[in-house]
Amino acid sequence: MKTIEAQCRCGAIGLKITGEPVAQIYCHCDDCRAAHGAAYVASSIYPAQSVQVERGQPAPVVVKATQRMRCVACGTHLFSEIASVGLRSVNAFLLPKGEFNPQLHVQCQHAVLPVVDNLPHYKGFPASFGGAEEFVAW
Ligand SMILES: [Zn+2]
Ligand SMILES: [Zn+2]
């Protein structure tokens, strides 16, 4: 099975990720924006057991609702727990080059910055994520 490694910016925490992502997305939700201090966030989502901490001790933080794991030394956000569906959402900026191939934008209703590209721009979530097939007009 395919295995990739990712680490925080200082290297104290290392992740081992096995298998293929369930989805790779850009999230514009207010929770991600607040946690990252960014206009939107790149996420690569895997079954929780596919994302293992190999090295170091990430610390949980909750900004709004989602539990996110960070490195306390450098502040890098590593992954979020989407515990209700048994998924972990990895900060896609930490993946090796070429491993992030985004398929869609979600939670565009919260967007502060329209991102015009050829991907679908969901108002909330797609039906496969339990949402409605509604889009924003970018
Ligand atoms: Zn670090
Ligand atoms: Zn989000």
Side-chain angles (χ1 to χ4, degrees), residues 65-136:
T66 305
Q67 176 170 290
R68 300 165 192 272
M69 304 302 284
R70 273 180 198 278
C71 172
V72 290
C74 70
T76 302
H77 164 66
L78 292 147
F79 60 88
S80 310
E81 300 281 5
I82 316 174
S84 58
V85 284
L87 298 173
R88 282 183 166 171
S89 176
V90 175
N91 179 355
F93 291 121
L94 305 178
L95 298 181
K97 205 168 188 246
E99 294 291 341
F100 182 58
N101 301 293
Q103 299 143 333
L104 57 148
H105 292 257
V106 302
Q107 292 285 49
C108 296
Q109 62 190 327
H110 295 286
V112 289
L113 176 73
V115 179
V116 179
D117 58 22
N118 293 327
L119 302 175
H121 298 93
Y122 287 90
K123 188 175 171 189
F125 292 104
S128 57
F129 287 34
E133 295 290 307
E134 288 181 63
F135 300 90
V136 295

Side-chain angles (χ1 to χ4, degrees), residues 8-13 71 73-74 76:
C8 66
R9 300 302 182 196
C10 78
I13 296 171
C71 172
C74 70
T76 302

